[in-house]
């Protein structure tokens, strides 16, 4: 665990004061989440939500129901979620078939047991890598893993260490270590951390061109301190 930077609990308190308490805006059941995740591409909350609404207006998402809908009809429903709707329709068929044929129609029921085994099952689904598996395990309440939003692992690394690393995997791991080391291993506490970091990464601490001047954390952020030192050196 890194002891650099401000205590994470204080960082989260400040973010919560700034943004308010956050709630997940996506389905938290494992199977539903995987379906929702394929409703938009590129996957974002807004794109997935658009596709999800359109999909669930034409069919239920239970495996048998998805398998019964012709692929072109699924693709047409998913179009509103963004690119490659035909491919996403095929992926939905694949997901539904796997849950039905290999997991007895019950993905959650197959995720009992060691977390490593649950993670392995989840990663067999298309487009689910470690960050997605972590998010599913945490938000379904299966395990209080230190999940980090896949599109903004840089946030905590900037705050605690300064510049994020060039390698995505290293940045993700450092953010995960920070949560693991400083946030109680409790589903609610770690969901709160995930949601606030996600909100901040999408609003002010964007991957490119972060809006540091408007940020409530600038007094304690290592990245911002480095930026200021750089400016003074040039002055
Ligand atoms: S000061 Fe800048 S880099 Fe630091 S958390 Fe805020 S937006 Fe991100």
């Amino acid at each position: 665990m890194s002891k650099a930077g401000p205590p994470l609990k204080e960082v989260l308190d400040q973010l919560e004061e700034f943004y308010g308490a956050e709630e997940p805006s996506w389905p938290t059941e494992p199977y539903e989440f995987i379906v929702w995740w394929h409703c938009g591409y590129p996957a974002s909350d807004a794109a997935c939500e658009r596709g999800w609404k359109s999909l669930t207006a034409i069919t239920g998402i239970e495996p048998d129901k998805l398998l019964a809908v012709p692929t072109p009809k699924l693709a047409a429903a998913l179009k509103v979620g963004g690119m490659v709707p035909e491919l996403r329709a095929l992926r939905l068929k694949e997901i539904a078939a796997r849950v039905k044929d290999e997991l007895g129609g019950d993905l959650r029921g197959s995720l009992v047991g060691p977390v490593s085994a649950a993670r392995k099952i989840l990663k067999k689904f298309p487009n689910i890598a470690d960050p997605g598996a972590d998010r599913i395990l945490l938000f379904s309440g299966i395990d209080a893993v230190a999940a980090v939003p896949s599109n903004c692992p840089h946030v905590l690394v900037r705050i605690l260490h300064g510049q994020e690393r060039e390698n995505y995997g290293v940045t993700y791991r450092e953010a995960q270590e920070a949560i693991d080391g400083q946030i109680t291993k409790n589903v609610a506490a770690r969901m709160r951390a995930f949601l606030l970091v996600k909100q901040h990464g999408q609003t002010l601490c964007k991957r490119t061109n972060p809006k540091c001047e408007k940020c409530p954390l600038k007094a304690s952020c290592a990245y911002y301190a480095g930026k200021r030192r750089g400016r003074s050196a040039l002055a």
Side-chain angles (χ1 to χ4, degrees):
M1 151 189 158
S2 171
K3 292 280 187 190
L8 206 41
K9 163 91 173 50
E10 283 175 24
V11 165
L12 297 176
D13 287 347
Q14 277 179 282
L15 288 178
E16 191 168 80
E17 202 175 318
F18 189 75
Y19 293 111
E22 298 285 322
E23 292 289 333
S25 59
W26 56 86
T28 53
E29 271 304 300
Y31 172 70
E32 288 185 17
F33 175 82
I34 295 173
V35 171
W36 178 85
W37 189 242
H38 285 81
C39 286
Y41 190 83
S44 66
D45 290 358
C48 292
E49 193 53 30
R50 277 197 304 276
W52 171 264
K53 276 193 181 144
S54 170
L55 175 70
T56 51
I58 62 153
T59 178
I61 59 140
E62 297 83 357
D64 278 337
K65 289 188 178 157
L66 283 185
L67 288 167
V69 181
T71 306
K73 193 173 172 188
L74 276 187
L78 294 174
K79 204 168 174 189
V80 70
M83 294 159 67
V84 292
E86 298 82 7
L87 181 62
R88 287 186 286 119
L90 290 172
R91 293 282 181 258
L92 284 187
K93 294 273 192 190
E94 189 185 322
I95 291 160
R98 176 165 296 156
V99 170
K100 182 180 177 201
D101 301 337
E102 296 176 22
L103 305 173
D106 180 12
L107 174 56
R108 174 182 271 272
S110 72
L111 300 176
V112 293
V115 176
S116 57
R119 184 186 298 279
K120 210 166 157 188
I121 291 172
L122 289 170
K123 286 169 66 177
K124 282 192 186 159
F125 286 95
N127 299 309
I128 301 294
D130 281 314
D134 289 343
R135 177 171 172 172
I136 292 169
L137 290 168
L138 176 64
F139 281 88
S140 60
I142 291 172
D143 192 83
V145 289
V148 177
S150 61
N151 58 351
C152 35
H154 57 273
V155 173
L156 290 179
V157 175
R158 283 178 181 166
I159 296 166
L160 300 173
H161 305 295
Q163 186 68 48
E164 68 269 29
R165 319 303 165 191
E166 276 178 24
N167 180 298
Y168 176 89
V170 176
T171 303
Y172 185 89
R173 204 165 51 246
E174 286 188 356
Q176 196 161 41
E177 282 168 6
I179 293 175
D180 235 346
Q182 297 195 46
I183 303 297
T184 322
K185 194 165 195 291
N186 162 290
V187 168
R190 292 191 171 183
M191 274 174 41
R192 173 180 181 253
F194 181 103
L195 291 165
L196 289 166
V197 167
K198 183 170 185 289
Q199 179 65 264
H200 194 45
Q202 288 172 348
T203 310
L204 292 179
C205 196
K206 297 185 176 195
R207 203 167 61 75
T208 54
N209 197 18
K211 309 281 181 269
C212 298
E213 297 305 330
K214 295 181 182 169
C215 180
L217 302 173
K218 66 182 178 188
S220 57
C221 173
Y223 177 100
Y224 187 67
K227 209 161 136 179
R228 286 182 62 183
R229 276 198 299 277
R231 270 198 227 120
S232 341
L234 287 174

